[in-house]
Amino acid sequence: MPAQPTKLTATYAGIIETPQLLNFINASVNPYMKILRAVFSLALLAVLIWALQTKFGPVPPIGKFVNPATGFWQNAESKNIKKEESLKLTGLYDKVVIRYDENRVPHIFAENDHDLYMAQGYVTAADRLWQMDIQTRNAAGRLAEVIGPSVLEVDRYNRRTGMVYGAEEALKGIMKDPRTKLAVEAYSAGVNQFINNLTIRNYPIEFKLLDYKPETWKTLNTALLLKLMSQTLAGGSDDMEMTAVLNKFGAAVTRDLFPDHNYQEDPIIPSGTKWNFTALKIPQPSSGFKRMMQTGKMRPKAKTEGIGSNNWAVAGSKTATGYPLLANDPHLNLTFPSIWYQVQLHAPGVNVQGVSLPGSPFVIIGYNAQTSWGFTNVDADVLDWYQLKFKDNAKTEYWYKNQWHKTTRRTEVIKVRGQNDITEQVIYTHFGPVVYDEGTKAPTIVNKVPAGMAMKWIAHKQSNDLLTFYLLNRGKNYDDYRKALSTYSAPAQNFIFASNTDIAITPNGEFPLKYPEQGKFILDGTDPGDDWHERIPANQNPTVKNPARGFVSSANQSSTDKTYPYYLNWQFGGYQRCKRINDRLTAMSNVTVDSMRLLQTDNYSITAHDVLPTLLSYLDSTKLDGTQKLALKSVSVWNLQYGAKSVGATIFNNWWNRLYDLIWQDEFDTPGDALRRPSRDRTIKLLLTQPNAKWFDDTRTPTVESCADLVSRAFNVTVDELAKKYGIPGERWEWGTVRPVAINHMAKLPGFGSGMFASGGNSGIINAMSGEAGPSWRMVVQMGPEVKGYGVYPGGQSGNPGSFYYTNLLQTWKDGKLNELLFLKSPTDKAGRVKSTLILNNR
C-alpha cells in the first residue's frame, strides 16, 4: 500500500500526492521545520510560564499557587505546635511572654504598654494578616487594586462617602492623646515586624490566590477599621425613601404609618425613670420642615431590620452566687475568619480578657478582675442628607445662612488592577461630601444615595473612640465606666456594665441636638435651622444604674420612654427580643452562668405569640384542602419556638412574610417609586387593632379585600409553595432544612466556608440567626472575688483555612455551648490549659 500523507503534506491542496513527491517535499522542508518546531516549542513554553504566573480574573496564577516551595502547600498547619519558641522583635523594651491555651488564644504578658500592644499587633497579624489587610482596603476604597474592576463601585462608594476622610480625622484625635498614640504606633510596629519577617512561602493563602503582597501597616489602617464598624452599625439611611413616602402619601399618613414610637415598647431605660439633669433648650423645627409637613411635599425632589445585638446584666440579688452576671452576644456578619479575635492583655495597670478587632489594639468586649462590659447598637440618627443650592454648574459655591460659601474638592485616585487609574473629584461642604452629584452616575449597589446632596455623618468628626476601650480595659468601678463613656463618639452603643457591686446600661455616643423628626426626611441645606446644633451633653445621655427590677438589658429597641427630653431617632429595633429577655429575667431567680447561656440561645417568638392567634382566627378550615389542613394543624399546635426541627416555625415565618408582602406591595412597591415600607411593628398594630384599615385592600384587583381575605390568601399561597417544593408537611418542612445557615469565607471563596447546616433562631428572636448575620460572639461573665468568663465565636483563632484552629470552635458555637475563658494572673501561672509559650525578646 502507498504511504499515507503526513499532516504537513496533506495541506498542499491540488498537488498529486505520490510517495516520491512526498519524500522530496519532506526532505526539503525538514531542516526548516525542526527550527520552526523548536522556536514554536520555546514560544509555547514561554507563554505557558507567563500564564502560570499571571492572574486571570478570579483564577490565581496557577504556577505560583501550586509551587511546592511557595504555593498553597505551605499553608497547611499541624495541630501540634512547638511547646516553646523564642523570637526577636526590633523595638521591644523588655521581654514579652505569650502563653497560648488549647484554642490558640494568646495570653500576653508585658512589662509596659508599648510592648503589650506591639506584641498584640504581632500575634494578631500572625493569625489574621489577610483579614486585617482586606478589611482596611475595603474601608479605604482600595479593593479594586487587588481584585479588579468587579469591585470598583464599592471603592467609589467608600471613597465618595468620606471613609478615608473620616479615618484621617479620627487619627488626628487618636494622636492627640499620648496613651492611644502609643498604643496604635506600637500595634502597627508589631504588625510590621510580622510582615517584614514573612517570605512568599508563608504568605496567607488569600494573598497567593489574589496574587498580591502584604503592604506596610499604617496607623491610619486602625482608624479605617473603626470607620468600617461605624459604616456597618451607623452608616445606613432611608431619608430618601421616607421623603418619597411623604411626597406620595402626605404628612398625616406618613406619621401614622411611621410613628416616632412603636406600638409595642419595652425601652432600654425602664419606663418611668426620672432624669436628674436640666435639659438644654430643644431646637425649633425649621420653617422648611414646618412647610413640608403642612404640604406633604419637599420643594426638591434604607434601612432594614438586621444587624443588632443582645446584652443584659443581672444584679447579685437575683444570682446564685450573690454577684452580678453580664451577658453579651453581638449580632454581626458571620464569616471565616471571625470579625473577633480573642486575647488576654497583661501589663502593669491592666489585665483584661475578651475579644479584639483584628487591626486595633485593646480588648473591645470583655472583662478584667473588677469589671465587665459589652455593647449593642443604639440605632441613633447620626447620618443626614442635605439638599444644596449651588451658585452655578461649576459648584464652587453653595448657599447657606443667606450667603455663598466655598466648596472644596478632594481628589480620589482609585487604582484598578489591569486597568488605568480612576480619578474623581468629590465636592465637600461644611455638612460633608456630596457623594454623587447630578453629573456622577450612582451605581446600582448604592441607588438609595440621593444625587446632588451632602452627607452629614457623625463618623466624619474628629474623635478618639479608642480611648474609651483603653479606659474600660483598666476600669475598676462604675465611676471608671462613666469616665470611659464620656470619651466615646460613634457608632453609638448601649454600653452595659457590671462590677461586684453595680450593674448599669447607657445608650452612649455623640448625639446631635435635634428637633423631633429632624433627619427623618431629606433636609434643606440652605436653612441653618436644619443644620445640627450642639451635641446632647455626654452626662445627659440616658442611663440607669442598679434599677429596682434587678437587671438591665438591651436588644436594639427604643432607648427611653417619651419622657426623655431629647430626640435620638424615630426608629429602633423591634421590641420582641427585649420583651422576651425582660420577661425571662423578671421571672428568674438564683440565676447562673448556664441560665444566661440558655437565654442567649432562646428561640421563642414574641411575634408569633402576639399575632398567631389572630391569624388563626381568620382561617376557615372547611375551605382548606388536605395539605393545607395538615399545615394548619402543625402551626396550631406549634410551641412558638424557632427550633431547627420545627415545622410550625417554617409555616408561620413564611405565612407572616407573605402576609406582610400582600399588605404593602400594592402601595409601596410601585414602579418608579423608592418607598420605605412600614415596619413589622406597625403591621402588627394594623393586624391587631385596625382590621378594617384600607391597607388590607389590594388596589391591583377589582374587588375590595378584607384583613381575613389577605390572611387566608397568604396562608394558602404559603402552604402551596412549601408543598410544591418539599412535598406534604413533614421532616422536609423543618425550619433548619428550609432555612439552613452557612458561614462563608470573607471573600466567599468556595471550600473555605462551613457549608450549609441546620440552625434554629431567626430575626426578632433572641437567638438572632438570620441570613449571613447572627451571634458573632457569645459571652457570659460571672463577677465575684474570682471573676470567670465564658465565651465562644463560630470559627477559630486562625485565619488560615489549612489550620486546625480555623474552625475548631464552630461545633461548640453550633451546640449553643460556651468555653470557660482562661484568665491568667501571671505568666508563671500553673495552668494545664497552657499548651505553648512564645517568648519575644528585644534586640
Side-chain angles (χ1 to χ4, degrees):
M1 293 180 63
Q4 296 298 312
T6 66
K7 290 183 179 179
L8 174 66
T9 57
T11 63
Y12 286 79
I15 298 179
I16 299 174
E17 296 178 345
T18 65
Q20 294 82 1
L21 183 60
L22 295 177
N23 289 335
F24 172 77
I25 294 172
N26 282 330
S28 301
V29 301
N30 256 347
Y32 301 103
M33 287 310 301
K34 288 179 179 178
I35 296 172
L36 287 172
R37 285 172 181 160
V39 171
F40 177 76
S41 297
L42 288 172
L44 183 62
L45 179 61
V47 170
L48 182 61
I49 292 172
W50 170 81
L52 289 173
Q53 302 301 314
T54 303
K55 185 177 184 297
F56 296 97
V59 180
I62 300 300
K64 294 181 182 179
F65 190 62
V66 300
N67 186 318
T70 60
F72 78 96
W73 315 96
Q74 299 300 325
N75 294 96
E77 288 182 8
S78 170
K79 177 181 176 181
N80 300 313
I81 307 296
K82 292 181 181 179
K83 293 289 185 182
E84 186 164 330
E85 187 176 5
S86 295
L87 294 172
K88 291 186 177 180
L89 263 63
T90 302
L92 283 178
Y93 298 155
D94 291 293
K95 182 174 77 170
V96 176
V97 178
I98 304 173
R99 311 294 297 277
Y100 282 94
D101 64 28
E102 75 278 16
N103 291 317
R104 287 296 290 171
V105 174
H107 304 259
I108 304 173
F109 293 86
E111 299 300 320
N112 56 77
D113 281 1
H114 172 274
D115 290 357
L116 181 68
Y117 299 120
M118 188 174 181
Q120 185 185 8
Y122 184 87
V123 299
T124 306
D127 282 326
R128 301 289 189 85
L129 180 61
W130 181 78
Q131 177 187 16
M132 295 162 63
D133 177 273
I134 207 69
Q135 286 185 151
T136 50
R137 281 184 180 275
N138 180 16
R142 295 183 56 212
L143 291 175
E145 284 185 32
V146 296
I147 297 175
S150 63
V151 292
L152 175 59
E153 297 305 343
V154 177
D155 283 354
R156 286 185 67 222
Y157 177 74
N158 285 335
R159 295 291 187 96
R160 299 190 70 93
T161 53
M163 290 285 282
V164 180
Y165 168 75
E168 291 168 351
E169 291 299 304
L171 187 60
K172 292 176 185 176
I174 290 168
M175 291 304 189
K176 286 181 178 178
D177 188 284
R179 295 164 293 184
T180 50
K181 180 178 186 292
L182 179 150
V184 295
E185 289 182 341
Y187 187 93
S188 298
V191 175
N192 288 326
Q193 285 276 308
F194 178 76
I195 293 172
N196 294 339
N197 292 339
L198 273 181
T199 61
I200 294 176
R201 64 176 293 178
N202 294 324
Y203 282 179
I205 194 168
E206 293 90 349
F207 286 104
K208 297 176 181 179
L209 281 166
L210 295 172
D211 190 29
Y212 76 103
K213 298 178 180 180
E215 64 181 15
T216 300
W217 184 266
K218 304 176 181 65
T219 52
L220 180 66
N221 288 14
T222 295
L224 282 165
L225 178 67
L226 300 179
K227 295 303 110 174
L228 191 63
M229 292 304 293
S230 288
Q231 184 188 67
T232 299
L233 297 172
S237 169
D238 49 24
D239 299 10
M240 185 172 71
E241 294 170 287
M242 286 303 302
T243 302
V245 170
L246 179 66
N247 289 342
K248 181 172 181 176
F249 296 105
V253 170
T254 300
R255 279 178 160 162
D256 175 52
L257 293 182
F258 302 91
D260 288 353
H261 284 270
N262 284 340
Y263 160 60
Q264 299 163 305
E265 284 195 320
D266 195 342
I268 293 168
I269 307 302
S271 295
T273 297
K274 303 300 182 184
W275 311 110
N276 59 352
F277 56 79
T278 301
L280 301 179
K281 183 179 180 181
I282 307 302
Q284 290 298 305
S286 68
S287 57
F289 180 82
K290 293 176 182 176
R291 182 168 57 252
M292 181 173 66
M293 299 312 291
Q294 291 168 355
T295 64
K297 296 286 183 181
M298 286 278 301
R299 282 173 291 151
K301 334 177 157 175
K303 289 167 69 173
T304 58
E305 181 183 3
I307 289 174
S309 305
N310 304 317
N311 63 21
W312 57 84
V314 182
S317 59
K318 289 178 69 70
T319 69
T321 64
Y323 290 98
L325 278 161
L326 181 143
N328 192 193
D329 56 299
H331 307 153
L332 296 165
N333 289 332
L334 302 179
T335 61
F336 287 157
S338 167
I339 66 168
W340 301 110
Y341 182 77
Q342 192 186 334
V343 67
Q344 181 181 356
L345 302 173
H346 186 290
V350 62
N351 187 16
V352 61
Q353 162 72 279
V355 287
S356 64
L357 290 170
S360 174
F362 312 132
V363 164
I364 304 301
I365 297 175
Y367 62 94
N368 58 38
Q370 291 86 29
T371 67
S372 56
W373 63 92
F375 315 102
T376 68
N377 200 37
V378 170
D379 224 1
D381 187 8
V382 291
L383 190 161
D384 290 332
W385 294 97
Y386 288 83
Q387 174 131 22
L388 302 175
K389 177 183 176 182
F390 290 108
K391 189 173 185 178
D392 50 39
N393 288 336
K395 298 179 181 175
T396 57
E397 295 180 77
Y398 66 103
W399 188 255
Y400 177 73
K401 285 188 176 179
N402 294 316
Q403 59 182 308
W404 295 108
H405 294 258
K406 296 287 187 182
T407 61
T408 59
R409 277 173 165 76
R410 181 182 174 100
T411 302
E412 298 288 355
V413 180
I414 305 174
K415 296 183 180 298
V416 184
R417 186 169 192 155
Q419 295 185 2
N420 294 330
D421 295 352
I422 304 294
T423 302
E424 296 193 348
Q425 299 290 328
V426 183
I427 298 171
Y428 273 74
T429 68
H430 83 279
F431 297 111
V434 179
V435 179
Y436 296 104
D437 60 39
E438 291 86 346
T440 305
K441 182 181 178 183
T444 303
I445 59 169
V446 289
N447 61 6
K448 293 181 182 178
V449 174
M453 299 185 194
M455 173 188 184
K456 186 156 191 171
W457 188 29
I458 197 70
H460 288 152
K461 294 190 66 175
Q462 189 175 130
S463 62
N464 186 4
D465 300 316
L466 280 182
L467 182 56
T468 302
F469 303 110
Y470 175 92
L471 295 172
L472 284 174
N473 286 191
R474 290 162 171 74
K476 295 180 174 59
N477 50 45
Y478 174 80
D479 289 340
D480 289 345
Y481 155 78
R482 293 294 298 172
K483 180 180 179 181
L485 266 56
S486 69
T487 70
Y488 188 77
S489 176
Q493 298 290 292
N494 298 301
F495 283 70
I496 202 160
F497 167 85
S499 66
N500 283 352
T501 56
D502 299 310
I503 60 172
I505 192 166
T506 306
N508 188 66
E510 182 171 342
F511 302 124
L513 182 63
K514 293 183 170 186
Y515 60 76
E517 295 187 290
Q518 184 180 349
K520 189 173 185 176
F521 312 99
I522 292 171
L523 295 165
D524 184 353
T526 69
D527 189 342
D530 273 349
D531 207 344
W532 291 2
H533 303 274
E534 55 189 306
R535 65 167 290 176
I536 296 172
N539 62 1
Q540 295 186 14
N541 288 347
T543 189
V544 64
K545 175 186 177 185
N546 297 330
R549 65 185 184 180
F551 65 88
V552 292
S553 69
S554 73
N556 313 114
Q557 79 273 31
S558 54
S559 299
T560 70
D561 63 16
K562 297 178 182 180
T563 64
Y564 183 64
Y566 300 116
Y567 173 77
L568 300 180
N569 202 353
W570 66 273
Q571 59 177 337
F572 295 92
Y575 98 120
Q576 287 81 11
R577 278 185 289 123
C578 70
K579 169 67 173 170
R580 177 64 174 171
I581 291 168
N582 291 350
D583 285 351
R584 295 296 302 125
L585 292 178
T586 298
M588 285 183 183
S589 58
N590 294 315
V591 180
T592 65
V593 168
D594 207 49
S595 305
M596 300 294 90
R597 177 187 70 82
L598 292 172
L599 185 54
Q600 285 181 330
T601 56
D602 185 277
N603 287 323
Y604 187 83
S605 172
I606 291 293
T607 299
H609 173 273
D610 289 345
V611 305
L612 183 57
T614 299
L615 295 182
L616 292 172
S617 71
Y618 283 119
L619 292 185
D620 183 350
S621 61
T622 64
K623 296 180 179 179
L624 304 179
D625 64 26
T627 302
Q628 292 166 352
K629 287 180 179 178
L630 286 173
L632 175 60
K633 181 179 179 181
S634 291
V635 77
S636 297
V637 299
W638 177 42
N639 62 2
L640 310 186
Q641 298 275 351
Y642 269 76
K645 293 187 175 298
S646 173
V647 173
T650 300
I651 297 169
F652 171 77
N653 194 77
N654 289 27
W655 185 10
W656 173 256
N657 289 340
R658 175 64 69 172
L659 176 61
Y660 179 82
D661 287 342
L662 286 176
I663 294 171
W664 303 117
Q665 266 181 346
D666 54 331
E667 283 96 356
F668 286 84
D669 291 2
T670 53
D673 288 333
L675 305 175
R676 159 78 184 260
R677 284 184 179 186
S679 67
R680 172 175 55 181
D681 180 84
R682 186 62 185 87
T683 308
I684 290 172
K685 180 180 180 182
L686 193 74
L687 180 71
L688 299 185
T689 68
Q690 299 171 279
N692 298 318
K694 68 175 184 177
W695 304 107
F696 289 111
D697 177 39
D698 188 341
T699 59
R700 299 168 295 187
T701 68
T703 59
V704 177
E705 286 83 6
S706 65
C707 178
D709 292 332
L710 262 61
V711 170
S712 296
R713 186 190 301 174
F715 180 80
N716 294 341
V717 171
T718 293
V719 175
D720 292 348
E721 288 178 345
L722 288 169
K724 183 177 180 180
K725 190 171 184 178
Y726 301 106
I728 62 172
E731 288 185 3
R732 295 185 64 202
W733 285 42
E734 290 177 353
W735 179 240
T737 300
V738 174
R739 200 290 312 263
V741 171
I743 302 176
N744 293 314
H745 182 268
M746 286 183 66
K748 295 190 172 14
L749 296 174
F752 287 5
S754 68
M756 305 299 289
F757 59 90
S759 173
N762 196 27
S763 62
I765 310 296
I766 296 178
N767 184 22
M769 287 294 305
S770 59
E772 296 180 344
S776 61
W777 163 248
R778 294 192 185 108
M779 180 186 77
V780 177
V781 182
Q782 172 69 69
M783 301 307 299
E786 294 289 332
V787 65
K788 290 186 177 181
Y790 303 81
V792 71
Y793 58 74
Q797 287 288 95
S798 176
N800 178 14
S803 169
F804 170 81
Y805 300 100
Y806 183 67
T807 59
N808 64 301
L809 303 175
L810 178 59
Q811 192 59 50
T812 301
W813 178 87
K814 284 184 183 179
D815 294 339
K817 298 178 181 178
L818 301 173
N819 292 321
E820 182 173 350
L821 307 180
L822 181 61
F823 189 50
L824 299 175
K825 295 181 180 178
S826 77
T828 58
D829 273 5
K830 302 297 182 181
R833 293 173 59 187
V834 172
K835 300 302 180 184
S836 64
T837 301
L838 173 63
I839 307 294
L840 302 179
N841 292 298
N842 61 325
R843 290 183 178 178

